[in-house]
Amino acid sequence: MKSFAVSMVALMLSSVSVSTFAADGVSFSYKNWEVVCDNILTCRAAGYGSEDGGGSVLLTRDGGPNNEVQGRVMLADIEENDSPETVELTLFIDNQSQGTIAPGPEGDWQLTPPQTDALIKAVTGSGAVEFRGAKATFILSGDGANAVLLKMDDVQGRVNTVGALLKKGNKPESSVPPAPTKPVIVAAPTLEAAEKPLDSQQDSAIRPLLQAAARQDDCDRLYPDPENPPEAITVTPLDDKHVLLSSLCWRAAYNEGYGYWVMDAQMTGKPKRVTTSGTSYQKGIIDIAQKGRGLGDCWSNESWVWDGKAFQLSSSYTTGMCRYLRAGGTWVLPTLVTEVKKADNAL
């Protein structure tokens, strides 16, 4: 299966250095740590235990000068069912208590600035970090932390500054580049119309055009094979000038992907492909949600918003490494964030 899910899962599962640079963000992982920085230079570094389960720590820092690191902790709840309502969690470093950790609003715990600083110093040195109070003690691994936090500093332009996490220097915080402005997408109104299958005459005319707009490796279900007929193509009106065509493109062990193409309302022009790994379309939004593995403990997600002329990528994120922590994923680690606004003529 050659798809969005495959490339993202390869990143999450990697046990060696992986660095991906793109216009919409940076992802880097090494051993038991990973960092994902989005297009406005907010970076989120996640650390895990040396084995599956236990928990994860998230260190978040906004781009631009004079921003502190915010620390959070999430415990595994697939089997243990530990939660802030039932656990008083305490941070220990080198067997010394650093105090209890306050419950957060999202089933997590939030570290204080002194606790966060102590944790960073420990994982980038030789300190032993433990979280006690749950059914099982969560021991945070430091393997990979130095490489990941150095990458975080590098992406944000903090290397050799007084606020760097790893490679500190004498450069002032004012030398850190400002964070870019979040891009704005104006979402256009769409028609309230249900999708319907193409009739046989329309299918005969449209199918070759969709095949030309997507490689067979990306959308093999558009093509007949000896065992299965080709998948049906559906059409959904977007507005008076455009329609959205869709068809199942591929199916794997625990994921499937739908193709989406925009075409003129008369369906006489050239279709423009949006994706061949879509999951759903509703009210001007195409979503992609693909499991990293059958357990469903790690996901990759994207969303596309209709702006009246085309679908614009509005968000892209993964939920962190596949570490058997949480059904649906542990964290939200975006590479792309935008602000979506309604058009003036939208309801």
Side-chain angles (χ1 to χ4, degrees):
M1 177 185 69
K2 297 178 177 64
S3 68
F4 167 81
V6 170
S7 60
M8 297 305 295
V9 171
L11 170 65
M12 291 189 290
L13 292 176
S14 176
S15 60
V16 297
S17 177
V18 176
S19 185
T20 301
F21 295 90
D24 58 355
V26 174
S27 299
F28 175 81
S29 64
Y30 186 61
K31 295 184 177 179
N32 294 317
W33 281 76
E34 65 182 328
V35 63
V36 180
C37 301
D38 61 30
N39 55 308
I40 60 171
L41 292 183
T42 295
C43 291
R44 298 167 176 88
Y48 305 85
S50 58
E51 300 178 355
D52 286 359
S56 177
V57 164
L58 185 69
L59 303 176
T60 302
R61 195 176 205 179
D62 291 339
N66 302 312
N67 286 314
E68 292 186 336
V69 180
Q70 299 174 333
R72 297 167 59 193
V73 184
M74 193 82 80
L75 296 181
D77 75 345
I78 290 180
E79 293 180 350
E80 298 296 334
N81 198 30
D82 289 322
S83 69
E85 291 77 21
T86 60
V87 172
E88 185 177 273
L89 201 62
T90 302
L91 171 64
F92 281 80
I93 295 178
D94 293 330
N95 214 32
Q96 299 295 313
S97 173
Q98 307 297 310
T100 58
I101 309 173
E106 299 179 20
D108 61 348
W109 290 260
Q110 300 202 0
L111 301 169
T112 64
Q115 288 173 330
T116 302
D117 292 342
L119 183 148
I120 292 172
K121 184 178 180 181
V123 297
T124 56
S126 57
V129 179
E130 297 177 292
F131 296 90
R132 302 178 186 174
K135 294 181 178 68
T137 297
F138 165 40
I139 301 174
L140 177 65
S141 172
D143 292 342
N146 281 272
V148 162
L149 296 181
L150 181 60
K151 174 61 69 177
M152 185 171 174
D153 282 340
D154 180 46
V155 171
Q156 294 186 326
R158 299 184 187 277
V159 176
N160 293 323
T161 68
V162 295
L165 299 179
L166 258 294
K167 195 175 179 180
K168 292 183 181 291
N170 297 321
K171 294 166 63 176
E173 272 290 296
S174 58
S175 67
V176 175
T181 302
K182 186 182 294 187
V184 175
I185 297 174
V186 179
T190 54
L191 297 175
E192 294 289 338
E195 68 174 4
K196 62 180 181 180
L198 298 181
D199 61 36
S200 58
Q201 184 175 358
Q202 291 172 323
D203 187 289
S204 298
I206 297 299
R207 188 173 297 273
L209 300 179
L210 300 190
Q211 292 171 343
R215 297 183 307 169
Q216 186 168 355
D217 284 352
D218 295 329
C219 195
D220 62 345
R221 293 298 185 103
L222 267 181
Y223 297 79
D225 65 42
E227 297 182 359
N228 298 295
E231 295 290 336
I233 300 171
T234 64
V235 58
T236 305
L238 289 171
D239 53 33
D240 292 339
K241 296 181 180 180
H242 304 89
V243 296
L244 182 67
L245 299 166
S246 179
S247 177
L248 179 66
C249 273
W250 54 265
R251 181 169 283 141
Y254 42 82
N255 286 315
E256 62 183 15
Y258 283 81
Y260 290 96
W261 297 262
V262 175
M263 201 170 183
D264 62 283
Q266 291 74 36
M267 293 189 287
T268 57
K270 183 178 180 180
K272 295 181 179 179
R273 184 180 65 173
V274 181
T275 180
T276 54
S277 293
T279 304
S280 65
Y281 166 78
Q282 188 174 16
K283 296 181 178 179
I285 298 174
I286 294 172
D287 284 316
I288 300 174
Q290 303 288 355
K291 292 180 182 180
R293 60 182 180 178
L295 292 172
D297 59 336
C298 49
W299 291 76
S300 51
N301 301 73
E302 287 186 350
S303 290
W304 304 72
V305 174
W306 176 247
D307 69 358
K309 295 181 180 179
F311 279 91
Q312 301 291 340
L313 185 62
S314 60
S315 71
S316 180
Y317 68 92
T318 69
T319 63
M321 291 184 181
C322 306
R323 289 301 185 98
Y324 199 62
L325 297 179
R326 299 240 161 179
T330 308
W331 305 111
V332 175
L333 307 178
T335 52
L336 176 69
V337 295
T338 64
E339 181 181 357
V340 178
K341 295 182 176 181
K342 288 185 177 181
D344 292 339
N345 60 339
L347 296 178

